[in-house]
C-alpha cells in the first residue's frame, strides 16, 4: 500500500489565489483551524496576472455610482442568466471588501482628494475599477498573502489534490501529492473550499498558465457536484499574438480604458461599425466623444472599444476572417495615438500602463508609446463552474464549497472586466465564513482507506507503464493535441457538427490517456504532473462541449454560427453537467428562479 | 529553422552536472520556451518552476550564462548562440531537482517581520486619505514579484550563507514598503539593526542590477533604512539620552 502523510484541518482550502486566500483568512477568523493548499508557491497564482482593477461601486470618481448600477451592469453583461442573488450580493459587498484590502496594507492609486482612484472598464457605466497602475492583481494577492501569513493558516505549497474523499453524502477529506518530493498527502477536513481557478489549459491560445487544468471543476464533478454554465467561456479580445512564443499573453483592457483604439489593416476603427442595440444609447458614435469619455468627461458616452469582451472578441475575429487583419493575423491596438491629444504622452502611457510597456518592449521589441500593438482573442476565463448556493457558496455536495473562477453564477453568459477580482473577495470571504460555520457544527467524518489506496495506485500507474509499455503515450503530446482540437472545434465560433466531432476526439483522448506513460522518479517530475492533470482537462472539455451543444442559441461568451441569435426561451434556464449513475456525463436544464420585483425595477431603471 | 544548444544543470540535492540539449528555435523565443521544448521533446521529467510566462509571477528564476534572470523574460536573440547557453538553478538556495530550488527560507523570513499596523481610519466610514505623491515610493517597492533573484545575487547569502542573520534585499524592500507606508504605525528599526542584519549590506548594488522590476533596491530601500538605523541607534545625542535614561 502506498504511503502518505496525514494532516487534519477543520477547513481545507484548495487553491491560493485571491478567492482561496480570502476564504482561508475568513475561515481562520471564524475560529477554526485552516489548511491552504497551493499548486504553486504562495503568491504565484493567476490572480497575480490581473491587470485592470477591482470593480466596486465606491463612487470615488463619479458619485452617481452605487450598488444598483453595478448590479444592473453585471446582469446586462451576463445577459440575464446570472444568479441574480449573487450579482446583488457582489455589488453590495464589493466596496467593503476593497476597503478591507486597504486596511491590510494595499496601496491603490489615489484621487486628488486622496481617496481610492477608479478607472473606466468595458461594460461598467461609471469609472469603477480600483487599481494600481496595471498590476492590480499583484497588489491584491500580495496584500492577502502578507496578511494571511499572520493568521495561523497552515500553508501547503506546491501540492496538488487528486481526489475528494466522501463519507456518505458529505465531503470529509482530500487526497493529493506534493510536487517537490512526490509524496502522497491525506487531508482530513470537516469542510472543503475549492478555489482552484480556471480551465485555460484546455485551449491552445490562452492567457492561463500550466496550473489551470480545471482541477476544482473536475474534483467537484467527480464527487457528484453540479457544474453549471460551462458553455460560457470568455475569450479576452486582446492577447499578444506575436512572436509565437508569447501568443495568448494578456493585454489589459486598461489600454482601451486609457484611450487605446482598435484598428484594422485599413486603419479603420471597426468597433464603430457594429454596436449592439442594448448598448447603443450608452456608446459614443464618434471618435471625439469616445476620447472625452476616456478623459473623464461625465457627459460623454464610452467608446465602442469598451463594449463587452464577447462582442469585441467577435468583431476582431470578423475583421481577421474578412481579410482586414494585421500582418501576424490579429488587429491593431493603438495607444500611441494619444500623443495627438496630450503633452508628454509617452510618459503618461508608461505611468498608466507600466507592465504593458515592459511586456511589449521586452517580449516583442515593440515600443507601445510609438507603435501600435498587434492583438487577437485569447482564452481567458470560464464563467461556468461549480454550482453553489448564492449566499453560503456551498455546492450541491454537503460540506463542499467553491469560490472564485471555479465557482459559478455571478457572471452569467459573460463576465465584465474587473468583476473577477471583486468576485474573489466577496465570495471567497463568504465561502470561508460558511465553511468555518459548517466545520463548527460537524464532527470529522470517516476516511475510506480503500479509496485512498486505489487513488494512490492509479496515480502511480503512468510510471509502471513507462517502464514496460510499448504503445505508451507521452502526456505533453496528448495535452497539446487536446488544446488544438478544443481551439478548433469549441472555440469562439461554434457549430453542432464541429462540437460533435470534438466529443468524438475527447473520447479518443480518454482512451489514449489510459495508456499515458512517464519516465524518471517522483521528485518534481513535470511529465508525471502533466499526466495527472489530463483527466481533469478532459472532464472540463467534455462539460464545455456538451453544454455548448445543448444551448442552441448565441449568448455572451457562447456563439453558435448555426444559431446566431439570442433566443428568449434559452434565457429561462441554466445548463448543468453532472455525473450519471453509470459514470457518464449528463446534461440537464435548470430553471432560473424569477427575479424579485425590486431587482427587476433596478434593471429597468438602469436601462433608461 | 535554426537550432541552438543549451547546457542545463540536472541533478538533485546539489549533486548533478550539465547536460547538453540541442533544439530548434524560432523568432521571439525566450529561454523558458527552449526549456519547455526540451522538456516536451527530449526530457519529459526535467524539473522547472514557472507560471505566468510574462514576468509577473517571479517563478522561473535561474542563472543564465551565469547571470540571475527570469527565464521567461530572457530572449534568445539577446544571447550569444554560437556557444551553448548555460542554465542552472539559483545558488543561494538548496537545490531540489534540476532547475528548481527550495526557496522556503524566504517565506519563513517574511513571517518574522512585524506586520502592517495602520493608524485609525481618517474618515467615519473607516477609510483613509493618502496623496498619490505620498504613496509613489511605496508603490515602487510593492512592484516586487518575489522572484528572489536579488537574494540569489547577494554575496551575503550567496557566498557567506548568512541566512540566519541577514534577511536579504527582498526583505529590506518589504520592510521599507511597510516603514514608508503612510498609514503604518509599527516600528521595525530596532529589529532591522539587531535581527535582520542590515549592517552586512555594503551597498554594492548587485541586487538593483538584477531586479526584473527595476526597483532601485539599494538607493531607495536599503540606504534609507540604514539611515534610520543610524539615526535611531548611533546618533550621539540619542545615545547619550539613552545612557542617562538607562536604556
Amino acid at each position: 500500500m502506498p504511503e502518505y502523510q496525514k494532516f487534519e484541518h477543520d477547513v481545507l482550502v484548495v487553491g491560493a489565489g485571491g478567492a482561496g486566500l480570502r476564504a482561508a483568512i475568513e475561515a481562520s477568523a471564524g475560529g477554526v483551524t485552516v489548511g491552504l493548499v497551493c499548486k504553486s508557491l504562495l503568491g504565484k497564482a493567476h490572480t497575480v496576472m490581473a491587470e485592470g482593477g477591482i470593480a466596486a461601486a465606491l463612487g470615488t470618481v463619479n458619485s452617481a455610482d452605487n450598488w444598483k448600477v453595478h448590479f444592473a451592469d453585471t446582469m446586462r453583461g451576463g445577459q440575464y442568466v446570472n444568479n441574480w442573488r449573487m450579482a446583488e450580493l457582489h455589488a453590495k459587498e464589493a466596496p467593503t471588501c476593497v476597503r478591507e484590502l486597504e486596511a491590510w496594507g494595499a496601496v491603490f492609486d489615489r484621487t486628488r482628494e486622496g481617496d481610492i482612484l477608479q478607472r473606466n472598464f468595458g461594460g461598467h457605466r461609471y469609472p469603477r475599477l480600483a487599481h494600481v497602475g496595471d498590476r492590480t492583481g499583484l497588489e491584491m494577492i500580495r496584500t492577502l498573502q502578507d496578511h494571511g501569513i499572520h493568521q495561523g493558516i497552515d500553508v501547503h505549497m506546491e501540492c496538488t489534490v487528486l481526489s475528494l474523499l466522501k463519507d456518505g453524502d458529505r465531503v470529509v477529506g482530500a487526497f493529493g501529492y506534493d510536487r517537490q518530493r512526490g509524496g502522497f498527502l491525506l487531508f482530513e477536513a470537516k469542510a472543503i473550499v475549492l478555489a482552484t481557478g480556471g480551465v485555460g489549459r484546455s485551449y491552445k491560445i490562452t492567457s492561463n498558465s500550466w496550473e489551470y487544468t480545471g482541477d476544482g471543476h473536475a474534483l467537484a464533478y467527480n464527487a457528484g457536484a453540479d457544474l453549471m454554465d460551462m458553455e460560457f467561456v470568455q475569450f479576452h479580445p486582446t492577447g499578444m499574438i506575436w512572436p509565437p512564443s508569447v501568443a495568448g499573453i494578456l493585454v489589459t483592457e486598461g489600454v482601451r480604458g486609457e484611450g487605446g483604439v482598435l484598428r484594422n489593416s485599413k486603419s479603420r476603427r471597426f468597433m464603430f461599425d457594429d454596436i449592439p442595440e442594448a448598448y447603443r444609447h450608452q456608446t459614443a458614435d464618434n471618435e471625439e466623444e469616445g476620447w472625452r469619455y476616456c478623459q473623464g468627461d461625465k457627459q460623454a458616452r464610452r467608446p465602442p472599444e469598451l463594449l463587452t469582451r464577447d462582442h469585441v472578441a467577435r468583431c476582431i475575429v470578423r475583421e481577421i476572417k474578412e481579410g482586414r487583419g494585421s500582418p501576424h493575423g490579429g488587429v491593431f491596438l493603438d495607444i500611441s495615438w494619444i500623443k495627438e491629444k496630450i503633452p508628454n504622452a509617452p510618459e503618461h502611457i508608461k505611468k498608466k500602463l507600466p507592465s504593458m510597456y515592459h511586456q511589449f518592449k521586452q517580449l516583442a521589441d515593440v515600443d507601445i508609446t510609438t507603435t501600435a500593438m498587434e492583438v487577437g482573442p485569447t482564452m481567458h476565463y470560464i464563467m461556468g463552474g461549480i454550482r453553489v448556493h448564492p449566499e453560503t457558496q456551498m455546492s450541491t455536495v454537503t460540506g463542499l464549497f467553491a469560490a472564485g473562477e471555479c465557482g459559478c453564477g455571478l457572471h452569467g453568459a459573460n463576465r465584465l472586466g474587473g468583476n473577477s477580482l471583486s468576485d474573489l473577495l466577496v465570495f471567497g470571504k463568504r465561502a470561508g465564513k460558511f465553511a468555518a460555520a459548517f466545520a463548527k457544527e460537524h464532527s470529522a467524518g470517516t476516511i475510506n482507506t480503500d479509496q485512498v489506496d486505489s487513488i494512490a495506485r492509479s496515480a502511480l500507474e503512468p510510471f509502471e507503464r513507462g517502464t514496460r509499455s510499448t504503445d505508451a503515450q507521452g502526456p505533453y503530446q496528448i495535452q497539446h493535441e487536446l488544446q488544438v482540437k478544443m481551439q478548433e472545434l469549441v472555440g469562439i465560433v461554434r457549430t453542432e457538427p464541429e462540437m460533435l466531432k470534438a466529443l468524438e476526439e475527447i473520447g479518443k483522448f480518454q482512451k489514449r490517456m489510459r495508456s499515458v506513460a512517464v519516465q524518471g522518479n517522483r521528485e518534481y517530475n513535470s511529465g508525471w504532473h502533466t499526466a495527472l492533470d489530463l483527466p481533469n482537462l478532459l472532464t472540463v472539455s467534455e462539460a464545455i462541449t456538451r453544454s455548448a451543444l445543448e444551448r442552441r442559441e448565441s449568448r455572451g461568451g457562447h456563439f453558435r454560427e448555426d444559431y446566431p441569435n439570442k433566443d428568449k426561451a434559452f434565457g429561462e434556464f441554466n445548463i448543468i453537467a453532472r455525473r450519471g449513475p453509470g459514470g457518464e456525463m449528463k446534461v440537464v436544464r435548470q430553471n432560473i428562479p424569477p427575479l424579485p420585483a425590486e431587482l427587476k425595477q433596478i434593471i429597468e431603471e438602469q436601462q433608461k | 529553422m535554426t537550432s541552438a544548444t543549451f547546457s542545463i544543470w540536472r541533478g538533485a540535492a546539489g549533486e548533478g552536472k550539465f547536460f547538453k540539449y540541442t533544439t530548434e528555435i524560432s523568432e521571439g523565443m525566450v529561454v523558458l520556451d527552449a526549456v519547455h521544448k526540451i522538456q516536451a521533446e527530449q526530457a519529459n521529467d526535467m524539473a522547472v518552476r514557472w507560471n505566468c510566462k510574462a514576468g509577473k509571477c517571479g517563478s522561473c528564476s535561474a542563472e543564465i550564462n551565469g547571470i540571475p534572470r527570469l527565464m521567461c523574460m530572457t530572449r534568445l536573440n539577446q544571447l550569444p548562440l554560437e556557444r551553448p547557453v548555460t542554465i542552472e538553478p539559483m545558488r543561494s538556495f538548496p537545490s531540489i531537482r534540476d532547475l528548481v530550488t527550495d526557496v522556503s527560507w524566504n517565506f519563513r523570513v517574511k513571517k518574522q517581520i512585524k506586520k502592517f499596523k495602520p493608524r485609525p481610519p481618517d474618515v467615519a466610514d473607516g477609510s483613509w486619505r493618502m496623496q498619490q505623491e505620498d504613496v509613489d515610493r511605496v508603490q515602487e517597492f510593492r512592484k516586487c514579484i518575489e522572484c528572489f533573484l536579488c537574494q540569489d545575487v547577494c554575496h551575503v547569502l550567496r557566498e557567506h550563507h548568512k541566512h540566519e542573520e541577514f534577511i536579504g534585499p527582498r526583505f529590506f524592500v518589504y520592510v521599507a514598503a511597510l516603514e514608508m507606508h503612510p498609514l503604518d504605525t509599527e516600528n521595525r528599526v530596532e529589529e532591522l539593526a539587531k535581527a535582520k542584519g542590515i549592517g552586512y549590506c555594503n551597498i554594492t548594488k548587485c541586487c538593483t542590477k538584477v531586479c526584473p522590476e527595476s526597483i532601485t533596491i539599494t538607493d531607495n530601500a536599503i540606504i534609507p533604512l540604514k539611515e534610520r538605523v543610524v539615526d535611531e541607534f548611533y546618533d550621539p545625542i540619542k545615545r547619550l539620552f539613552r545612557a542617562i535614561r538607562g536604556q
Side-chain angles (χ1 to χ4, degrees), chain A residues 95-147:
Chain A
T96 308
C97 287
V98 171
R99 296 286 187 198
E100 253 167 10
L101 287 184
E102 189 159 83
W104 296 341
V107 185
F108 293 104
D109 287 352
R110 317 306 298 179
T111 64
R112 277 203 200 100
E113 296 72 37
D115 207 337
I116 295 171
L117 181 63
Q118 299 186 273
R119 70 156 46 121
N120 286 315
F121 235 57
H124 293 281
R125 183 160 193 169
Y126 299 114
R128 190 176 286 147
L129 269 67
H131 62 277
V132 187
D134 55 3
R135 55 160 192 86
T136 314
L138 172 66
E139 187 70 18
M140 182 164 130
I141 197 167
R142 200 66 81 231
T143 301
L144 292 170
Q145 173 190 347
D146 294 350
H147 181 72

Side-chain angles (χ1 to χ4, degrees), chain A residues 201-212:
Chain A
R201 286 279 140 183
S202 305
Y203 288 85
K204 183 168 163 248
I205 305 291
T206 176
S207 63
N208 291 191
S209 85
W210 65 270
E211 288 188 289
Y212 299 92

Side-chain angles (χ1 to χ4, degrees), chain A residues 40 44 49 107 109-110 114 139 143 146 149 158 209-210 245 249 359 362 365 476 523 526-527, chain B residues 28 33 39 44 49-53 56-57 75 97 110-111 116 130 132 139 142 145-146 174:
Chain A
S40 287
K44 307 297 184 192
M49 295 289 286
V107 185
D109 287 352
R110 317 306 298 179
E139 187 70 18
T143 301
D146 294 350
I149 56 174
E158 299 199 306
S209 85
W210 65 270
S245 65
I249 295 178
Q359 188 173 307
Q362 283 183 273
D365 279 332
Y476 296 99
E523 280 107 47
S526 307
Chain B
D33 293 321
Q39 186 188 50
N44 274 195
R49 189 183 268 138
W50 70 285
N51 271 322
C52 78
K53 216 177 159 301
K56 294 197 172 75
C57 77
R75 294 185 71 183
R97 220 168 73 87
K110 188 188 249 187
K111 218 171 167 172
F116 177 66
M130 294 180 269
Q132 184 61 45
Q139 286 188 330
R142 294 181 67 89
I145 57 172
E146 300 199 329
Y174 180 67

Side-chain angles (χ1 to χ4, degrees), chain A residues 288-306:
Chain A
E288 189 53 38
E289 185 180 1
W291 167 249
R292 280 194 283 115
Y293 177 87
C294 294
Q295 287 294 287
D297 181 342
K298 289 173 189 167
Q299 307 310 318
R301 294 171 298 175
R302 76 174 77 109
E305 276 85 357
L306 290 178

Side-chain angles (χ1 to χ4, degrees), chain A residues 240-284:
Chain A
M240 290 179 82
I241 56 165
W242 189 261
S245 65
V246 300
I249 295 178
L250 200 63
V251 181
T252 176
E253 195 166 315
V255 174
R256 285 169 280 147
E258 297 295 341
V261 298
L262 290 166
R263 292 185 196 281
N264 61 20
S265 60
K266 313 244 183 266
S267 295
R268 180 164 177 81
R269 273 181 76 179
F270 57 86
M271 288 307 300
F272 277 108
D273 300 342
D274 181 6
I275 298 167
E277 202 46 54
Y279 286 91
R280 192 173 299 275
H281 66 293
Q282 282 177 16
T283 307

Side-chain angles (χ1 to χ4, degrees), chain B residues 176-213:
Chain B
L178 288 164
E179 286 286 300
M180 298 179 203
H181 194 304
L183 305 184
D184 184 67
T185 57
E186 189 58 88
N187 185 342
R188 300 167 190 85
V189 175
E190 188 179 348
E191 57 178 307
L192 267 181
K194 291 180 179 161
K196 313 298 184 202
I198 195 166
Y200 280 119
C201 168
N202 56 3
I203 55 175
T204 51
K205 301 196 183 184
C206 311
C207 50
T208 304
K209 274 180 216 137
V210 301
C211 178
E213 285 292 308

